[in-house]
Amino acid sequence: MTRIPAPPAGWRTEAERRVQRGRRIDRFIPAVLLDSPVSFIGYLYGCAVGWTWGGLWSTGRVQKRQGLWVFRGMPSWAFGRGGVCVGNCYLTGEADVTDRVLVHEAVHARQWRRYGLLMPLLYSLDGRNPLRNRFEIEAGLEDGNYVPRGS
């Protein structure tokens, strides 16, 4: 197992600031698009995309764990980082899928349910740095293996 590097000094303060900024942005999103039938349709679309992509490229066993469909054995180019959650599907390679990682990914599935098709857009706008991406911060940086436990 690879060692998770220590985060830079002051990361926790910046993470809190990013989460608060995201919550302020949410106030400008019309209520009809959050936790609504509209967002649920987007979530279902995300689930369909996850199932399709996972079904096409997964070479491992597909399992239902902690409310998520886990597609393993994906080629590395077919998902980002250690894995990606699309709707209620977790797409990953050969790495061990721990219960902690699934706790993290289950939060992403709930985020998909809340934001629907806004999820990929808002996530992209927050950037790829997990220490600055409010969706990763809210899902738990330790559970997502972005910072060591107890940092």
Side-chain angles (χ1 to χ4, degrees):
M1 181 171 213
T2 25
R3 189 177 179 288
I4 300 167
W11 72 272
R12 195 175 301 275
T13 302
E14 176 63 15
E16 283 298 318
R17 191 180 71 73
R18 298 294 288 202
V19 168
Q20 293 306 318
R21 177 181 164 266
R23 291 184 180 148
R24 284 192 305 272
I25 290 169
D26 283 359
R27 291 186 211 136
F28 293 100
I29 300 172
V32 70
L33 298 179
L34 298 176
D35 284 323
S36 69
V38 173
S39 67
F40 187 66
I41 290 168
Y43 165 76
L44 291 177
Y45 180 79
C47 295
V49 168
W51 261 97
T52 301
W53 195 247
L56 282 172
W57 300 111
S58 176
T59 59
R61 187 170 158 209
V62 178
Q63 298 175 296
K64 181 129 188 201
R65 290 179 56 195
Q66 296 188 23
L68 296 169
W69 289 99
V70 180
F71 291 84
R72 297 198 54 220
M74 306 277 294
S76 60
W77 55 263
F79 61 92
R81 295 191 186 120
V84 65
C85 182
V86 183
N88 66 348
C89 301
Y90 178 55
L91 312 171
T92 190
E94 296 298 333
D96 185 35
V97 180
T98 66
D99 287 341
R100 290 283 203 186
V101 166
L102 290 179
V103 165
H104 175 90
E105 297 304 328
V107 174
H108 288 317
R110 286 190 300 278
Q111 290 167 338
W112 266 95
R113 174 62 188 88
R114 175 169 171 71
Y115 294 98
L117 288 179
L118 289 176
M119 178 63 184
L121 172 67
L122 294 171
Y123 187 99
S124 295
L125 290 173
D126 255 22
R128 293 199 37 85
N129 180 347
L131 300 179
R132 297 175 57 86
N133 183 304
R134 67 144 162 170
F135 297 100
E136 294 297 346
I137 297 162
E138 289 173 345
L141 294 172
E142 290 177 339
D143 288 341
N145 293 322
Y146 292 115
V147 298
R149 295 222 166 270
S151 324

